[in-house]
Amino acid sequence: PLRTQCPPDKDQLGRATWTFLHTAAAYYPTQPTPAQRTQMLALIHALPALYPCNHCAEDFGASVAQSPPDVSGRAGLSRWFCERHNEVNEKLGKVAFDCAKTDERWKEGPKDGSCD
Ligand code: FAD
């Protein structure tokens, strides 16, 4: 029998959103065009207005205001999202993620090939 599909709770929404954001950063160009930079900035700035968890959105807006997005290229953007995510991890009492491992986690997969 099919299991009932429930609406996402805060954690499921968060995992899905981080998956999208980190993956978008992992595939962002090394040398983005001015239009791509503008579009990425628009995406980031839309989150505090539209993310459907009010207190999450509010804190994320404060974080963006404190640390302006680095949309200069893939490496800088990936690091910027990693740092913002780590701020949420810290707030929730989770261990910090090692930002040097961002590409392995979101683009390349582990060296042992277990994700190939
Ligand atoms: P998640 O934190 O969702 O992470 C998913 C995976 O990403 C992890 O398994 C890990 O492999 C990887 N990862 C972890 N940290 C990093 C990092 N720094 N860089 C790259 N990859 C990483 N929840 C709240 O309860 N309160 C909030 O205020 C809140 N604010 C949020 C704001 C935003 C913008 C978003 C997108 C989510 C927010 N969340 C908030 C949700 C919260 O961040 C988590 O998504 C949720 O708690 C589920 O956590 P998780 O442990 O399953 O993994």
Side-chain angles (χ1 to χ4, degrees):
L2 288 173
R3 210 160 56 88
T4 305
Q5 301 258 13
C6 300
D9 62 20
K10 191 166 64 176
D11 285 357
Q12 291 171 324
L13 174 70
R15 280 191 287 273
T17 304
W18 288 124
T19 297
F20 167 63
L21 294 173
H22 291 301
T23 307
Y27 289 87
Y28 187 70
T30 311
Q31 293 182 293
T33 64
Q36 287 169 322
R37 294 177 195 220
T38 302
Q39 285 153 349
M40 183 53 74
L41 279 176
L43 173 63
I44 292 166
H45 287 295
L47 287 171
L50 296 172
Y51 191 72
C53 160
N54 284 331
H55 72 91
C56 307
E58 209 170 288
D59 287 358
F60 186 73
S63 171
V64 174
Q66 180 79 35
S67 308
D70 179 356
V71 296
S72 63
R74 199 175 94 60
L77 185 65
S78 295
R79 173 159 290 273
W80 185 84
F81 273 121
C82 183
E83 288 168 353
R84 302 289 73 70
H85 193 166
N86 270 339
E87 288 178 1
V88 181
N89 289 340
E90 188 178 358
K91 180 173 75 169
L92 299 179
K94 299 183 190 188
V95 292
F97 183 89
D98 177 359
C99 291
K101 300 220 158 88
T102 302
D103 277 1
E104 178 180 323
R105 171 67 178 89
W106 295 108
K107 193 174 200 191
E108 291 155 7
K111 290 195 184 20
D112 66 9
S114 55
C115 294
D116 295 355

